Amino acid sequence: MKITTITNLEFGKMVQAASQKLNQRAEFINSLNVFPVPDGDTGTNMSLSMASGAKYEREETSEKVGDLASALAKGLLMGARGNSGVILSQIFRGFSKNVADKDTLDAKDLAEAFAAGAQTAYKAVMKPTEGTILTVVRKAAGAGKEAVKSTNDINEVMAQIVTAAEAALKSTPDLLPVLKQVGVVDSGGQGLTFVLEAFSDALSGKVDESEDYKPDDAEMDSMIDAAHHQSVQGKLDPNDIKYGYCTEIMVRIGDGKLVDQKFDYDKFYDYLAKLGDSLLVINDDEIVKVHVHTEHPGDVMTWGQRFGALIKVKVDNMRLQQETIMEHDEEAQDAPVAVAQADAQPKPDMKGYAIISVASGDGIGKLFTGLGVTNIIAGGQTMNPSTADIVKAVNESGADKALVLPNNKNIFLAAEQAADVADIPVKIVHSKTISQGMTAMLAFNPDADLEENQSAMEDTLDTVISGQVTHAVRDTTIDGMAIKKDDYMGLVDGDIVVTNPDREQATIEMVKHMLDDDSELVTIIYGTDATQADADKLSDQIQALDDELEIEIHEGDQPVYPFLISVE
């Protein structure tokens, strides 16, 4: 079927199809992450980013494709998570600017828009790397521009764009050696290829009947958890929580005595969107999962029953949870524990600064606040905060200027985007790890300006060596090292240096890689999968390596990594 014009109707179908396809195939994309660590979340990040873009597009009332593309770009910008999500948002930022004045699109418009998207994405990355999503978008856009020289059939142009994307994706291991080592294609490039395939399917009227990538319970649960992570303030008044009940339901579509509606995603979603915020709706052919913050959990359940049988219901009172957190914080402050503020010195005058740190784990959050951080965003490993999360923390800080500590290189681009759209001046301190973030805080000077503090804090980052211990989620081989699923790995500054089925041995061997003749201080932060006794035993073993080392132990409560270790 030949198509020569994309109207608002076609464009909307393209966007929604892409969102649904990423939703369905997020877990497959996650599996392509090179390192076998539990926080490989490219698929989840891209899916949630695209879901935000699709929501903005769906809510735009204009019938002009240019306006719809702008809404898509805005939603992607604010919902962008991780580097892959940010690059996806930049592709459609360039796309939208190129079609800003268009009521409809023809084949040439579409090809030029993708070319503009590729150009914008490359400019957004300081050091573009071939063999990634950037290669895929560049090759796909080039094929589109070539195709319109001989046809005005949009379906034919999209087909050639998809073919080029698939070929570029297949070539990524030849361009990026680490992909070839592990035997996978680039995960971000795969996500973009799925988006382009969905566009093509929507335009040609194809229905994706593939059963290969149905989201399983684990994937849907991880995405539900992702939606629940919000920017947090340590002293948020429970009475300030607008929607007090975190409500989750799982519905078996078509079952149940109260069913009177045939499942339609948009209709199902739009009703729930009126009941609260932090909404996520994930479905396959049989099951739909819902996460929403609302004042009316009963209405959510009743709505679900009109489409199927409730097979899981979970409701948490978030106001009560916040009260408990605050009580726990007060108890911790009153306890006779040696912490950074043990001398009860008053906090320094921040001189209009907000310092915003991304951290996962109550203990790590307290360590950062003890060092002078004013605002904590929940996230990091396993869940990268979105651009909107960071913007919200900045804008609600009440400060005149802000510094952001991402503490994870996969958050850098989202933080940079947030800095561009925040209401106050913002600079990013490019800390890749929790240890780097804490070291950077020692260089903060409230009397210095933003640029001076950013420079001074970044100068400290290379003075600390960061180690992380976690378990492998699959078998693989990297740099000649055979890694077995469920074995423990030690990563030093992001590189896997040791693997061992015994956690203790893996940790000690990792520390040996970190120590040198100049090492003076070792800091151990233990997570939810370790105990104080484990940390004490580890400390004794490290001390046996060098009895002149000073060793500190802190409870971090972080997930995924039982031990975070720094050497200075």
Side-chain angles (χ1 to χ4, degrees):
M1 178 177 65
K2 184 174 181 178
I3 295 178
T4 58
T5 303
I6 296 175
T7 69
N8 62 310
L9 297 177
E10 284 82 20
F11 189 79
K13 289 177 182 178
M14 291 162 64
V15 172
Q16 302 308 316
S19 179
Q20 185 175 18
K21 193 157 192 170
L22 284 179
N23 173 356
Q24 292 173 334
R25 306 194 177 187
E27 190 60 29
F28 172 71
I29 300 170
N30 286 343
S31 73
L32 298 175
N33 283 278
V34 172
F35 284 156
V37 294
D39 58 354
D41 49 7
T42 300
T44 304
N45 283 340
M46 294 188 78
S47 177
L48 290 172
S49 301
M50 195 68 191
S52 176
K55 178 176 183 292
Y56 275 63
E57 186 278 332
R58 189 166 52 246
E59 293 175 350
E60 173 57 57
T61 58
S62 173
E63 294 185 356
K64 295 182 177 180
V65 172
D67 292 339
L68 297 178
S70 178
L72 169 65
K74 177 68 172 179
L76 277 164
L77 170 71
M78 299 309 294
R81 298 173 187 268
N83 291 343
S84 56
V86 172
I87 293 173
L88 187 66
S89 76
Q90 290 299 311
I91 290 170
F92 284 100
R93 177 170 174 256
F95 184 107
S96 70
K97 286 190 173 182
N98 193 263
V99 301
D101 59 346
K102 304 288 186 181
D103 292 341
T104 61
L105 304 183
D106 60 22
K108 185 179 179 182
D109 294 331
L110 184 67
E112 290 180 347
F114 277 123
Q119 187 176 38
T120 301
Y122 267 86
K123 287 181 179 179
V125 180
M126 186 173 296
K127 295 180 179 179
T129 301
E130 296 300 334
T132 65
I133 185 175
L134 294 174
T135 302
V136 175
V137 71
R138 177 171 58 82
K139 294 284 190 179
K145 292 199 74 174
E146 190 65 28
V148 295
K149 293 178 181 179
S150 58
T151 182
N152 66 347
D153 183 353
I154 291 174
N155 270 330
E156 177 60 29
V157 172
M158 270 308 310
Q160 292 194 38
I161 287 173
V162 169
T163 298
E166 291 171 342
L169 178 66
K170 189 176 180 180
S171 74
T172 56
D174 297 323
L175 298 171
L176 207 55
V178 68
L179 297 175
K180 179 165 282 190
Q181 283 185 38
V182 181
V184 296
V185 295
D186 178 67
S187 55
Q190 178 66 84
L192 177 62
T193 301
F194 281 148
V195 168
L196 298 175
E197 288 174 354
F199 279 9
S200 183
D201 288 345
L203 286 168
S204 61
K206 294 179 183 177
V207 177
D208 185 3
E209 298 176 349
S210 169
E211 298 293 332
D212 293 338
Y213 304 102
K214 292 296 184 186
D216 58 18
D217 281 349
E219 179 196 352
M220 289 197 280
D221 284 341
S222 71
M223 295 178 75
I224 290 289
D225 291 341
H228 185 65
H229 277 72
Q230 301 294 319
S231 303
V232 295
Q233 307 297 327
K235 295 301 181 182
L236 177 67
D237 187 334
N239 293 322
D240 290 338
I241 297 175
K242 184 177 181 181
Y243 298 108
Y245 297 93
C246 175
T247 304
E248 298 176 22
I249 63 171
M250 186 189 302
V251 179
R252 180 174 287 115
I253 299 170
D255 285 356
K257 296 181 179 180
L258 301 181
V259 175
D260 62 2
Q261 299 275 342
K262 183 177 180 180
F263 184 77
D264 175 86
Y265 183 91
D266 290 341
K267 181 176 182 180
F268 189 82
Y269 184 103
D270 290 344
Y271 177 83
L272 294 171
K274 299 173 184 176
L275 296 181
D277 61 15
S278 297
L279 174 62
L280 184 64
V281 177
I282 306 168
N283 72 286
D284 59 17
D285 290 340
E286 299 176 356
I287 300 293
V288 58
K289 277 193 173 185
V290 173
H291 168 284
V292 65
H293 295 174
T294 182
E295 281 296 285
H296 305 286
D299 290 351
V300 176
M301 297 175 210
T302 299
W303 182 243
Q305 285 182 290
R306 298 188 66 179
F307 296 86
L310 298 179
I311 55 178
K312 178 182 176 183
V313 173
K314 181 172 178 284
V315 180
D316 292 322
N317 185 326
M318 294 190 295
R319 296 187 183 95
L320 182 60
Q321 288 178 335
Q322 182 63 16
E323 289 172 0
T324 302
I325 290 170
M326 292 175 67
E327 289 170 1
H328 180 272
D329 287 348
E330 291 171 1
E331 290 171 0
Q333 290 172 3
D334 293 338
V337 179
V339 295
Q341 296 169 303
D343 294 332
Q345 295 293 330
K347 287 188 176 182
D349 180 2
M350 295 299 287
K351 304 292 179 65
Y353 271 101
I355 303 181
I356 296 162
S357 176
V358 180
S360 182
D362 290 342
I364 289 178
K366 290 173 185 175
L367 289 171
F368 270 116
T369 54
L371 291 168
V373 167
T374 60
N375 305 74
I376 302 292
I377 299 176
Q381 288 86 8
T382 74
M383 187 55 236
N384 300 148
S386 68
T387 300
D389 291 333
I390 300 171
V391 170
K392 181 179 179 184
V394 170
N395 290 347
E396 294 183 358
S397 68
D400 300 322
K401 50 190 176 292
L403 291 160
V404 176
L405 300 167
N407 304 322
N408 185 313
K409 65 181 181 181
N410 203 37
I411 303 174
F412 285 1
L413 292 181
E416 296 286 359
Q417 283 199 157
D420 288 340
V421 299
D423 293 340
I424 60 176
V426 178
K427 290 293 181 182
I428 312 303
V429 178
H430 294 84
S431 51
K432 296 179 181 178
T433 65
I434 294 294
S435 301
Q436 284 191 346
M438 291 181 175
T439 298
M441 282 305 301
L442 301 177
F444 172 70
N445 177 5
D447 292 316
D449 64 28
L450 264 177
E451 289 76 12
E452 290 170 338
N453 266 316
Q454 180 195 38
S455 177
M457 294 169 79
E458 292 204 333
D459 284 346
T460 70
L461 299 181
D462 290 336
T463 67
V464 59
I465 301 171
S466 303
Q468 302 167 308
V469 177
T470 189
H471 67 276
V473 295
R474 66 177 182 274
D475 293 347
T476 190
T477 300
I478 296 178
D479 293 332
M481 182 183 299
I483 300 170
K484 298 294 184 183
K485 183 177 182 293
D486 296 327
D487 278 2
Y488 287 92
M489 301 177 297
L491 292 82
V492 176
D493 290 330
D495 295 325
I496 300 173
V497 298
V498 63
T499 179
N500 195 299
D502 183 84
R503 186 178 73 184
E504 187 176 301
Q505 288 300 314
T507 306
I508 290 299
E509 288 301 315
M510 181 191 74
V511 172
K512 289 179 181 178
H513 279 83
M514 300 169 70
L515 296 174
D516 60 28
D517 293 340
D518 297 325
S519 301
E520 298 177 353
L521 173 65
V522 177
T523 302
I524 301 170
I525 302 175
Y526 64 93
T528 55
D529 293 331
T531 65
Q532 177 75 48
D534 294 331
D536 288 339
K537 185 177 181 181
L538 181 59
S539 175
D540 292 341
Q541 292 178 300
I542 295 173
Q543 199 77 74
L545 298 175
D546 185 345
D547 60 8
E548 294 186 359
L549 289 170
E550 180 182 348
I551 301 176
E552 294 182 358
I553 297 175
H554 299 282
E555 181 179 10
D557 303 309
Q558 73 272 8
V560 180
Y561 295 91
F563 294 113
L564 299 175
I565 297 177
S566 65
V567 174
E568 299 173 72

